[in-house]
Amino acid sequence: MSDCIFCKIIAGEIPSYKVYEDDLVYAFLDISQTTPGHTLLVPKKHVADLFEYDTQLASDVFTRLPKIARAVRDSNPAIKGLNVINNNGAVAYQSVFHSHIHLIPRYTKNDDFSIHFVDNSGDYNEVKYTAIQESIVAHLGD
Ligand code: 5GP
Ligand code: ZN
């Protein structure tokens, strides 16, 4: 896609700190190192988000994820864990609309990445949960 910044990075038109490349995927340092080693894994095929993946593209990307995750972890003995984040849609904080997986090394619980889940388990309601479950199942398709 001609006006896509990640397509330009993949094509070498914009420089990047590449850490992995093969025929199908490209991985490089995020320009904003939320924590040192913050890496983006992208399919070379331009798709906007996860909703556009078919099973082949999912296989292409996600089968490579553990190898890159291990390399990021092993790059620095201070890395104690790693968050994998994939934002889909502006409401979910996606800002570049070429699908990408964030690999964010974790050094301590108080490093520069945080994630906040509100504990709504007290709102458990069997009828409500069953309706949500049934609606998701009805939309699985093939
Ligand atoms: P999103 O918010 O869409 O999930 O993540 C997009 C990421 O792309 C951000 O973390 C941002 O720092 C990174 N990014 C944006 N432009 C560039 C760029 O030109 N080069 C690199 N390496 N990363 C970029
Ligand atoms: Zn693109």
Side-chain angles (χ1 to χ4, degrees):
M1 195 184 192
S2 59
D3 63 348
C4 170
I5 193 155
F6 286 176
C7 281
K8 288 178 179 169
I9 286 174
I10 293 163
E13 295 166 13
I14 293 176
S16 69
Y17 291 90
K18 179 174 76 177
V19 300
Y20 179 81
E21 180 179 18
D22 62 26
D23 290 348
L24 300 167
V25 306
Y26 193 96
F28 57 106
L29 297 187
D30 195 299
I31 197 153
S32 172
Q33 292 281 280
T34 297
T35 64
H38 180 180
T39 295
L40 300 175
L41 170 62
V42 302
K44 287 191 168 178
K45 178 181 178 182
H46 179 94
V47 293
D49 55 38
L50 188 66
F51 305 122
E52 293 189 5
Y53 281 52
D54 59 19
T55 54
Q56 184 59 59
L57 191 63
S59 172
D60 296 344
V61 173
F62 288 102
T63 57
R64 287 156 172 84
L65 183 56
K67 173 188 177 82
I68 298 165
R70 284 190 291 268
V72 171
R73 178 197 63 186
D74 295 345
S75 69
N76 185 335
I79 294 173
K80 305 302 181 194
L82 181 138
N83 285 100
V84 172
I85 304 288
N86 168 234
N87 300 329
N88 297 282
V91 72
Y93 305 113
Q94 186 175 8
S95 61
V96 176
F97 290 87
H98 179 133
S99 179
H100 50 279
I101 315 294
H102 294 262
L103 296 91
I104 305 176
R106 300 305 306 278
Y107 294 78
T108 71
K109 286 188 174 177
N110 299 314
D111 61 22
D112 286 345
F113 178 78
S114 67
I115 193 163
H116 178 59
F117 289 103
V118 174
D119 181 3
N120 287 330
S121 59
D123 295 342
Y124 171 75
N125 173 295
E126 186 176 351
V127 172
K128 190 167 75 178
Y129 281 40
T130 300
I132 295 168
Q133 174 197 27
E134 290 178 350
S135 184
I136 294 171
V137 170
H139 288 89
L140 281 176
D142 294 331

